[in-house]
Structure formats: structure tokens, C-alpha cells
Amino acid sequence: SKAPVNITVTGAAGQIGYALLFRIASGQLLGADTPVKLRLLEIPQAVKAAEGTAMELDDCAFPLLQGIDIFDDANKAFEGANVGLLVGARPRGKGMERGDLLQANGGIFKPQGEAINAGAADDIRVLVVGNPANTNALIAQSHAPDVPAERFTAMTRLDHNRALTQLAKKLNVSINDIKKLTIWGNHSATQYPDLFNAEVNGTNAAKAVGDQAWLENDFIPTVAKRGAAIIEARGASSAASAANAAIDHVHDWVNGTPEGDWTSAAIPSDGSYGVPEGLISSFPVTSRNGRWEIVQGLEIDEFSRGRIDASVQELVEERDTVKQLGLV
Ligand code: NAI
């Protein structure tokens, strides 16, 4: 039988953690033939709550779950980690400027990057969920110089899944009828969900919609502001859907994307599509042999170009801020 895979989850006692851990332990992250060991990282005040979640995980008697360890020290939590799900982050407080937010998150993602560099397994794969996810991933990556840069990624899969459903509802088709949708740029309100390269039952999705006003005034803002709409309705931010997207991202990274389709993930840019090299930006991606690849050769129309550039510009500014703060 297969050796267990060590999965480190930060922010394990938070609401995404609560939705995520049970799905990992049941085999949905890596597949039903792969045993897992969970390594939970929390701040000291939340360790007790993480212990409570661990008790519930025990009580599920998951056949694939071979152990749960709980830490309040990043160096220990990332020891031997094969997968790192970096969920815990510092939320934006009242009146907090972007610089303050990035500074506070630097205090989390710098030591976690160092811990990954020092102790993670050679095949470590990192997904940053905690916001601002793209730039937090950049901070962690820059403190892990011995880990291949491509192993640091950030999550835009929730945005991708949200866009799939909005489009399916508009055209009254099934999710399965839609292929090649892309989220470009930053996981923020500037993200660009692109229908111009997407297909619905083999025809161009933007043409199938045939309504630029809906695309600009309804579809794009609905996808980009969905997080706020969830908070407004639920009284708490997206948790189960975020956990689901994290599962999708790592599952596809490890197991590959289906032939004839692609997905969206924020990965280090190689300069494709004019995105400055090194920025962790969302692209159309496929995964083969455990590696993400950016889909090449797509035509970018003028409208899309403007949207992509605006979101990438925001990432450039975030990177410049964390540079000034000495965090990268
Ligand atoms: P939460 O507040 O319920 O949980 C966060 C947990 O992280 C808390 O238990 C906290 O104690 C822990 N934590 C804080 N600092 C830590 C550290 N240094 N080490 C380990 N744990 C630490 O928040 P929730 O709802 O679980 O969300 C987590 C993050 O995910 C937030 O930053 C949120 O904005 C982000 N998010 C990202 C999405 C995406 O699409 N990329 C979607 C939804 C949420």
C-alpha cells in the first residue's frame, strides 16, 4: 500500500479549515488510494479548538487518515510536508491600509516560507488560500529559495467555479457543457473572468452569450464580488466553497486536468501574456505529471487586454509594497 502523504493545514481551527479537513481525510484531495497524515498549524489561542476538530476527525474513523498532529510552531508543522495548504491569514481590520495588511501578513507568510524551506519534503506543493493570497504566496516563496519557485501557488479556483455556475445559469446549460474558462490576474475585485476563450458545447462562450452589457455589468461584477454577497447573505464568509476549491486545485495539480479543458490557478508567471515574470498571477492552466503549465497561444482581444492589465497592475503594486517593506 502507498505511503501516507503529509498535509500541513494552517488556520486549521478556522471556518475553511473546518470544511476542508474532513474532505482531505476522506480521500477527496489526493484520491481514495492515498493515505494521509494531517499536520495542523494554529496560533496558540486556537490550538484547543484545533484539538476539538481533531477529536471529530477521529470520530469519523476515516480509513485513509493515519494521524493528526497539532502545532503552534511553523517549523514543526511543515516538517516533512508534501502538501501545504496555507489558509490562516490576517484579515483586514477596520481602517487598515493595504500596506498595513501586507505587513501583518508578511509576519505570517515569511516565517512559514522559511519553515517550508527548512523542513518540507522535496516534493512540497503549496497552495495559499489566505488573503491577499497571490502576494502572500509571493512572500512565502521568496523565503524558500531552495524550493522550486513553481511549487508556490495561490487560489483562484473558487472564482473559476463561481464563473462556471454564473455562465451555466445564464445559458441554461450544465457545468459539464462549459470548457476553457479562465480567471486572469489577482484574487481580488480586479480579477478578470474571461469568456472570450471559453466554449459552451463547442461554440465560443462570449458569442453564445451575445450580450456584452451582461458580461460587463452583470457577469464580471457578480463573480468578482461574490465573496461580499456571501458575507451579506450568510453573515460569514465563504467557507465550504473555498474549501471545495482548495480540494479541486490540489487534486488537479497532483492528478492532472482533463484532456481538452483547462482550469485557473495563480502560478508564478514565466512572462506569458505580458504578465511580468515572477508575479503569482492567475492564468489558464493545465496540469501534467504534477506540474502546472500555462496554456499558450490564446488570442487576447482589446477588452480582455485592458482587464488583464488592470489586475496585473494591482499585483505589481502589491509586489512593490512588499518589496519596500523588505518582505520579498
Ligand atoms: P477564519 O478567521 O475562520 O480562520 C482563520 C484561522 O487562521 C483562525 O483559526 C486563526 O487562528 C488562524 N491563524 C491566524 N494566523 C495564523 C498563523 N500565523 N498560523 C496558523 N494559523 C493562523 O478564516 P477563514 O474563513 O477560514 O478564511 C481564511 C482565509 O482564507 C482568509 O484570509 C480569507 O480571506 C481567505 N479566503 C480566500 C479565498 C480565496 O478564494 N482565495 C476564499 C475565501 C477565503
Side-chain angles (χ1 to χ4, degrees):
S1 66
K2 273 192 176 177
V5 173
N6 290 318
I7 301 164
T8 301
V9 179
T10 78
Q15 51 151 6
I16 294 176
Y18 194 74
L20 182 60
L21 293 169
F22 296 85
R23 296 192 57 187
I24 298 172
S26 72
Q28 294 177 58
L29 187 74
L30 300 171
D33 59 344
T34 308
V36 294
K37 282 189 171 173
L38 288 170
R39 303 178 71 79
L40 313 184
L41 178 64
E42 259 297 349
I43 55 173
Q45 309 89 283
V47 161
K48 190 158 181 232
E51 286 169 356
T53 304
M55 289 163 69
E56 284 203 75
L57 284 160
D58 280 341
D59 295 348
C60 295
F62 287 120
L64 290 172
L65 182 57
Q66 296 203 349
I68 313 169
D69 290 296
I70 302 171
F71 306 93
D72 62 7
D73 174 342
N75 284 307
K76 292 186 183 135
F78 285 106
E79 239 170 58
N82 306 105
V83 176
L85 295 165
L86 279 50
V87 179
R90 176 70 194 275
R92 188 185 286 262
K94 234 187 184 168
M96 219 176 182
E97 303 286 337
R98 182 164 64 180
D100 303 331
L101 181 73
L102 290 167
Q103 175 94 60
N105 277 290
I108 295 173
F109 289 88
K110 176 175 185 272
Q112 290 183 2
E114 290 167 346
I116 288 165
N117 199 55
D122 286 345
D123 68 346
I124 178 74
R125 286 184 176 84
V126 177
L127 170 62
V128 176
V129 174
N131 282 318
N134 301 53
T135 300
N136 287 341
L138 191 69
I139 295 170
Q141 180 202 56
S142 79
H143 295 281
D146 303 333
V147 177
E150 66 184 38
R151 305 286 186 75
F152 285 84
T153 66
M155 192 168 91
T156 52
R157 186 62 173 264
L158 178 54
D159 309 299
H160 181 95
N161 289 343
R162 285 166 170 168
L164 280 176
T165 297
Q166 292 305 317
L167 179 62
K169 285 190 169 175
K170 170 72 176 173
L171 296 176
N172 201 17
V173 298
S174 139
I175 299 293
N176 307 309
D177 298 328
I178 303 172
K179 303 259 180 301
K180 303 182 178 175
L181 193 141
T182 307
I183 304 292
W184 296 89
N186 199 2
H187 169 69
S188 77
T190 66
Q191 65 175 267
Y192 173 53
D194 175 8
L195 297 188
F196 290 94
N197 284 294
E199 291 173 3
V200 176
N201 287 318
T203 56
N204 182 277
K207 281 204 186 98
V209 168
D211 184 351
Q212 181 70 15
W214 176 81
L215 205 145
E216 286 185 43
N217 305 326
D218 199 332
F219 173 70
I220 293 173
T222 298
V223 172
K225 295 180 190 161
R226 186 73 165 177
I230 301 280
I231 294 174
E232 175 66 27
R234 204 174 84 88
S237 58
S238 339
S241 55
N244 177 70
I247 297 271
D248 284 350
H249 177 116
V250 174
H251 179 275
D252 288 358
W253 193 357
V254 172
N255 297 299
T257 43
E259 240 356 278
D261 199 3
W262 66 66
T263 187
S264 306
I267 69 170
S269 176
D270 60 358
S272 293
Y273 298 103
V275 180
E277 200 177 331
L279 279 187
I280 298 184
S281 187
S282 190
F283 285 101
V285 290
T286 56
S287 165
R288 295 277 171 276
N289 305 317
R291 292 182 64 161
W292 290 119
E293 274 173 32
I294 297 171
V295 175
Q296 296 297 330
L298 300 182
E299 212 177 288
I300 309 295
D301 65 292
E302 209 182 302
F303 174 76
S304 301
R305 188 72 260 171
R307 294 289 178 134
I308 294 169
D309 288 350
S311 194
V312 168
Q313 182 53 34
E314 184 181 49
L315 284 172
V316 168
E317 287 165 18
E318 288 182 17
R319 183 195 58 193
D320 290 349
T321 304
V322 293
K323 252 190 199 163
Q324 281 158 18
L325 293 168
L327 293 169
V328 297

